[in-house]
Amino acid sequence: MAIPLIPDCLIGSIYDLTPERLQARGIRLVLADLDNTLARYREKDPSEPLRLWKQGLEAAGIRVFIISNGRRPNRSGRFAQGLEVDYISHAGKPRAAAFHRALEQTGCPPEQALMVGDQIFTDIWGAHNGGVTAVLVRPVALDNWFRRLRYGVETPFRALCPNKEGF
Ligand SMILES: [Mg+2]
């Protein structure tokens, strides 16, 4: 049984999630946070490397699905459309509901899914509430004092992660 606030694994960036590594673990669905996981907070559209990453996964039969707590109108929708993936915004992480919806919508069993996100109290806790593997990614940018403070508060949870060697 996973400890709710302890990530199962730490990675440096989403690009550590390669098709080969995901396939080796039987993962068919990557649930991904948006802000500071796939892109910086103000980045409106997916970058070319991100689009290529998603295409590489898709070619290997692995789906990407955005689960964001973002409340800005159209932010998640525009980004997801640019990346050509499905999404849930206003997701209410760490509650399990959005995770259950995403699994149902994709027809993927929880053991074949993982969640990747940059925050302990939403992404990691939510992943475990939703019954999926929780992968903590280093935030894309710690560009204000609040995000740096939060990152500091999360340090003990990173320290307790049993697998810091990457995915
Ligand atoms: Mg985030």
Side-chain angles (χ1 to χ4, degrees):
M1 174 68 191
I3 301 169
L5 293 173
I6 310 295
D8 298 306
C9 168
L10 303 185
I11 60 172
S13 91
I14 48 128
Y15 301 109
D16 293 341
L17 300 176
T18 63
E20 297 75 23
R21 291 175 189 161
L22 293 165
Q23 280 178 327
R25 287 163 176 76
I27 298 296
R28 292 195 302 120
L29 175 64
V30 173
L31 304 169
D33 172 51
L34 172 51
D35 290 314
N36 246 352
T37 295
L38 296 180
R40 296 174 73 117
Y41 273 84
R42 291 178 194 284
E43 218 176 327
K44 291 194 173 87
D45 298 300
S47 65
E48 193 54 25
L50 186 68
R51 290 171 54 81
L52 290 172
W53 171 77
K54 177 261 175 181
Q55 285 165 14
L57 263 55
E58 206 167 67
I62 301 161
R63 196 161 161 182
V64 177
F65 191 119
I66 294 175
I67 297 185
S68 172
N69 276 3
R71 293 170 188 280
R72 272 170 295 167
N74 303 327
R75 156 73 166 149
S76 306
R78 172 174 171 162
F79 198 92
Q81 195 174 17
L83 197 55
E84 298 178 292
V85 299
D86 288 323
Y87 73 100
I88 294 172
S89 60
H90 300 77
K93 294 175 285 184
R95 290 199 303 274
F99 293 89
H100 293 161
R101 254 173 68 203
L103 292 170
E104 191 181 296
Q105 200 173 316
T106 56
C108 183
E111 57 274 17
Q112 292 177 17
L114 64 73
M115 171 73 195
V116 58
D118 69 299
Q119 285 184 52
I120 296 285
F121 294 98
T122 52
D123 303 313
I124 299 306
W125 196 6
H128 287 145
N129 285 338
V132 304
T133 298
V135 178
L136 185 71
V137 67
R138 193 177 160 76
V140 175
L142 291 170
D143 47 9
N144 68 32
W145 69 267
F146 175 73
R147 288 175 198 142
R148 283 193 291 275
L149 177 66
R150 189 172 59 200
Y151 187 76
V153 169
E154 292 173 337
T155 297
F157 302 100
R158 286 194 300 275
L160 289 167
C161 174
N163 179 8
K164 303 182 187 66
E165 304 304 313
F167 192 76

